[in-house]
Amino acid sequence: MSGRNNLTLEEARGRAELLADLRYRVELDLTEAADFRSRTVLRFASREPGAETFVDLTAPRLERAELNGRPLPGDAFDGHRLRLLGLEEENELVVEARCAFHRTELGMHRFVDPVDGGVYLHTDFEPFDAHRVFACFDQPDLKGVFEFTVLAEPGWEVVANTRPAGPPAADGRKVLR
């Protein structure tokens, strides 16, 4: 792998032909100031068992990566991409990483207001920004179903373009589908 972050048209076409039925379960722990924990369970189909591809993830540290119950080797991750070898017809990828907060409108933006001291986080997932927050096939023609669980500080309001699946859990986690 190249260590590059940009997705080429050829790579995007190849993944679109190969992958189907994407289902994401993403857990974000936003309670720390320096960075945040991101955990993704991604289920997807491959139209070509035995093929290889990669999932996008820009993160300072990969803590765990497992494809179909098998740990991925350390050199499978180059800081921007996680190489996936030997795909099966149905796959489950589990990725745990420490992701960086950004202050330049990329990925997960974190801002401390100097006036009120409040901490504000937001993301708009402009094209090719979601992989800075969770492991994903970050291209617009690969649609998926998402469930997000967010652990936030007490008193924080978590807002999305979907309704919460229920009231917050006792530990403050909020589930968005």
Side-chain angles (χ1 to χ4, degrees):
M1 287 198 309
S2 67
R4 71 175 189 263
N5 189 24
N6 293 332
L7 180 68
T8 69
L9 179 59
E10 180 179 309
E11 291 168 333
R13 285 181 176 157
R15 285 199 308 195
E17 291 173 6
L18 179 65
L19 305 174
D21 193 24
L22 283 61
R23 298 168 314 275
Y24 293 86
R25 193 173 69 236
V26 179
E27 299 172 11
L28 302 175
D29 180 346
L30 304 177
T31 60
E32 296 179 38
D35 60 11
F36 62 96
R37 190 176 83 68
S38 174
R39 181 176 192 273
T40 304
V41 177
L42 170 54
R43 292 183 175 93
F44 62 97
S46 171
R47 293 182 180 100
E48 186 184 327
E52 70 177 75
T53 190
F54 62 92
V55 69
D56 303 293
L57 174 67
T58 294
R61 189 170 79 231
L62 180 69
E63 294 184 333
R64 175 178 169 236
E66 187 178 280
L67 178 63
N68 299 323
R70 296 181 312 273
L72 295 175
D75 66 351
F77 182 62
D78 68 6
H80 300 288
R81 295 178 174 190
L82 178 60
R83 189 174 60 247
L84 307 176
L85 301 174
L87 296 179
E88 297 176 8
E89 190 172 333
E90 295 293 326
N91 299 276
E92 180 179 87
L93 175 66
V94 178
V95 178
E96 295 177 4
R98 298 300 296 200
C99 295
F101 287 115
H102 295 273
R103 282 136 187 96
T104 58
E105 302 298 323
L106 297 173
M108 182 68 71
H109 181 83
R110 186 177 194 277
F111 174 75
V112 178
D113 189 310
V115 175
D116 69 9
V119 176
Y120 300 90
L121 295 111
H122 79 273
T123 184
D124 51 19
F125 290 153
E126 290 290 332
F128 208 59
D129 265 352
H131 69 280
R132 297 175 188 278
V133 178
F134 61 95
C136 60
F137 298 115
D138 201 354
Q139 64 188 74
D141 59 340
L142 285 176
K143 308 294 186 209
V145 175
F146 292 85
E147 177 182 297
F148 284 89
T149 301
V150 177
L151 180 60
E153 291 290 338
W156 282 15
E157 183 176 357
V158 177
V159 179
N161 63 355
T162 186
R163 291 196 170 122
D171 66 358
R173 292 180 194 271
K174 296 163 182 73
V175 179
L176 306 167
R177 287 192 180 104

